[in-house]
């Protein structure tokens, strides 16, 4: 196992890259949370989808965004080059759907944070994303769902947990109604947990 490098970034500014595959509402929420702070910057957003709405949000926020193909992410020399070019210290996955390759985990050990829209270790793994997760949770008769913020290792959704929060599942719950409760939890906790983790490892 690789040790976490806690060398303080230059000028005590932590540079975060966000990876997102879809709408990017979490990405935007995180970036807005840190606005006005000089200890955290968001130099770029990367997506595996050229038509993801997150690019539009990036443009509105004045942040560069890039699209890399599935292949360019699987064999990540270009991705790593881009992250090095922008001196990225930490990676946040905000609704990012592809597997993170081992080379990237080795380049950023303990420095890749993901959010999963359910209470891991249940309802995680390949194919468990978006409404598939919420439907699986409801169909299994669970009384609660929630969010898990965790570090990323080489297996989908199996890295160390940093934080969990719960919400109730009520009679007649649908994937859409549950997704909206989960999003509320994400907006409330994800930026604060990223902040807490940065302070823990850097400051
Ligand atoms: C979130 O629910 C996140 O947990 C999941 O995908 C969703 C992304 O939403 N992995 P958004 O793109 O941030 O709006």
């Amino acid at each position: 196992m690789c040790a976490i490098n806690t060398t303080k970034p230059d000028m005590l500014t932590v540079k975060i890259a966000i990876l997102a595959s879809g709408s990017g509402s979490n990405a935007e929420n995180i970036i807005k949370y840190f606005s006005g702070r000089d200890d955290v910057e968001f130099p770029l957003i990367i997506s595996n989808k050229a038509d993801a709405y997150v690019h539009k949000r990036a443009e509105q926020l004045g942040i560069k965004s890039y699209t890399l193909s599935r292949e360019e992410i699987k064999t990540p020399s270009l991705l790593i080059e881009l992250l090095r070019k922008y001196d990225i210290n930490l990676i946040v996955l905000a609704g990012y759907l592809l597997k993170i390759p081992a080379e990237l985990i080795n380049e950023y050990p303990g420095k890749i944070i993901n959010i999963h829209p359910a209470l891991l270790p249940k309802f995680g793994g390949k194919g468990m994303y978006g409404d598939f997760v919420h439907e699986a949770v409801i169909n299994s008769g669970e009384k609660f769902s929630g969010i898990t913020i965790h570090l990323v290792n080489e297996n989908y959704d199996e890295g160390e947990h940093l934080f969990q929060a719960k919400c109730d599942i009520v009679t007649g719950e649908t994937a859409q109604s549950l997704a909206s409760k989960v999003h509320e939890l994400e907006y409330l906790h994800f930026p604060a947990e990223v902040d807490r983790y940065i302070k823990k490892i850097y400051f």
Side-chain angles (χ1 to χ4, degrees):
M1 190 164 138
C2 300
I4 298 180
N5 174 8
T6 54
T7 309
K8 286 191 170 50
D10 285 352
M11 313 291 290
L12 295 184
T13 299
V14 179
K15 294 186 181 154
I16 301 178
I18 295 186
L19 270 61
S21 301
S23 158
S25 67
N26 276 287
E28 179 172 349
N29 185 48
I30 291 170
I31 291 162
K32 286 187 167 161
Y33 170 97
F34 286 99
S35 70
R37 289 255 305 257
D38 56 8
D39 55 343
V40 177
E41 278 176 18
F42 294 88
L44 80 166
I45 292 177
I46 296 169
S47 182
N48 57 307
K49 296 226 159 112
D51 59 353
Y53 191 70
V54 70
H55 293 292
K56 186 86 195 149
R57 294 185 198 265
E59 195 187 326
Q60 284 161 358
L61 292 161
I63 292 174
K64 285 203 175 69
S65 72
Y66 293 84
T67 302
L68 295 185
S69 69
R70 183 181 280 266
E71 263 324 297
E72 285 168 331
I73 289 169
K74 202 170 164 194
T75 312
S77 46
L78 190 66
L79 172 57
I80 290 174
E81 201 180 294
L82 196 59
L83 297 169
R84 284 185 185 152
K85 180 176 155 201
Y86 284 93
D87 286 328
I88 295 301
N89 311 110
L90 190 82
I91 298 171
V92 171
L93 311 182
Y96 178 73
L97 298 182
L98 299 183
K99 194 163 194 310
I100 296 296
E103 289 102 305
L104 192 59
I105 294 166
N106 292 339
E107 181 84 9
Y108 286 92
K111 305 268 187 64
I112 308 178
I113 301 176
N114 183 43
I115 188 154
H116 184 77
L119 296 170
L120 293 172
K122 283 178 158 182
F123 308 108
K126 198 166 165 40
M128 278 291 174
Y129 62 89
D131 284 352
F132 296 118
V133 186
H134 304 309
E135 274 156 16
V137 171
I138 293 167
N139 292 340
S140 70
E142 295 287 321
K143 297 274 173 282
F144 304 99
S145 190
I147 59 169
T148 305
I149 297 167
H150 65 95
L151 296 178
V152 172
N153 68 12
E154 40 296 310
N155 301 317
Y156 266 120
D157 301 326
E158 289 185 14
E160 179 191 331
H161 292 187
L162 301 176
F163 179 84
Q164 288 189 305
K166 278 183 182 179
C167 60
D168 290 332
I169 294 179
V170 296
T171 311
E173 195 83 73
T174 63
Q176 288 68 33
S177 64
L178 184 52
S180 120
K181 288 183 195 174
V182 163
H183 259 126
E184 287 309 311
L185 289 176
E186 293 179 336
Y187 300 151
L188 188 62
H189 297 290
F190 199 12
E193 281 309 305
V194 171
D195 197 6
R196 196 187 58 78
Y197 190 66
I198 289 170
K199 285 179 178 137
K200 179 178 161 196
I201 68 170
Y202 288 123
F203 297 111

